[in-house]
Amino acid sequence: QVPLVESGGGLVQAGGSLRLSCAASGRTFSGYDTGWFRQAPGKEREFVAAITWSGVNTWSADSAKGRFTISIDNAKNTIYLQMNSLKPEDTAVYYCAKTTRWRSTSSNDYRYWGQGTQVTVSS
């Protein structure tokens, strides 16, 4: 069983918005930070944004700043990524993952991963 399940991806026009969700399945992951990563065909998996379990601290890649917002709803055990002003270069499979390493931007530090959700941004 995959412990994390992403949803909310789809096809949008450039300039549009999507909200991705990352729901924990079968466990709470209390104390873990959550990160969003993305991977386009032929590209390395790259960090997008992350949030602490408390929701107090967030950090993001330069490509996401000013456009993407990460948030958490601990009651629902769900993390969200609100993506606005989407660009074709945002097209990728988006993954959420969990880590115990604070403010990590490295995929190697994230222990648990979802299966990803496809985001496609047309010109």
Side-chain angles (χ1 to χ4, degrees):
Q1 292 276 62
V2 178
L4 302 173
V5 180
E6 302 95 336
S7 62
L11 174 64
V12 297
Q13 292 184 332
S17 299
L18 286 172
R19 189 181 75 160
L20 306 184
S21 299
C22 173
S25 178
R27 60 182 294 175
T28 303
F29 287 102
S30 60
Y32 284 78
D33 295 346
T34 303
W36 285 96
F37 292 78
R38 67 187 184 187
Q39 188 166 23
K43 299 292 184 68
E44 293 284 314
R45 185 169 297 185
E46 66 176 5
F47 171 77
V48 178
I51 189 169
T52 60
W53 183 82
S54 68
V56 172
N57 301 112
T58 65
W59 56 103
S60 61
D62 289 341
S63 61
K65 291 178 180 176
R67 300 189 300 128
F68 297 178
T69 302
I70 189 169
S71 61
I72 187 169
D73 185 340
N74 283 324
K76 296 181 178 179
N77 206 19
T78 301
I79 294 84
Y80 303 96
L81 183 67
Q82 178 67 46
M83 305 189 295
N84 299 324
S85 301
L86 284 163
K87 305 173 182 179
E89 50 263 46
D90 295 319
T91 296
V93 177
Y94 283 70
Y95 302 88
C96 68
K98 300 285 188 177
T99 183
T100 58
R101 295 284 297 273
W102 184 55
R103 285 190 173 182
S104 175
T105 61
S106 173
S107 62
N108 291 332
D109 292 332
Y110 288 75
R111 182 176 180 180
Y112 299 99
W113 293 81
Q115 292 297 295
T117 185
Q118 177 71 49
V119 171
T120 303
V121 184
S122 62
S123 300

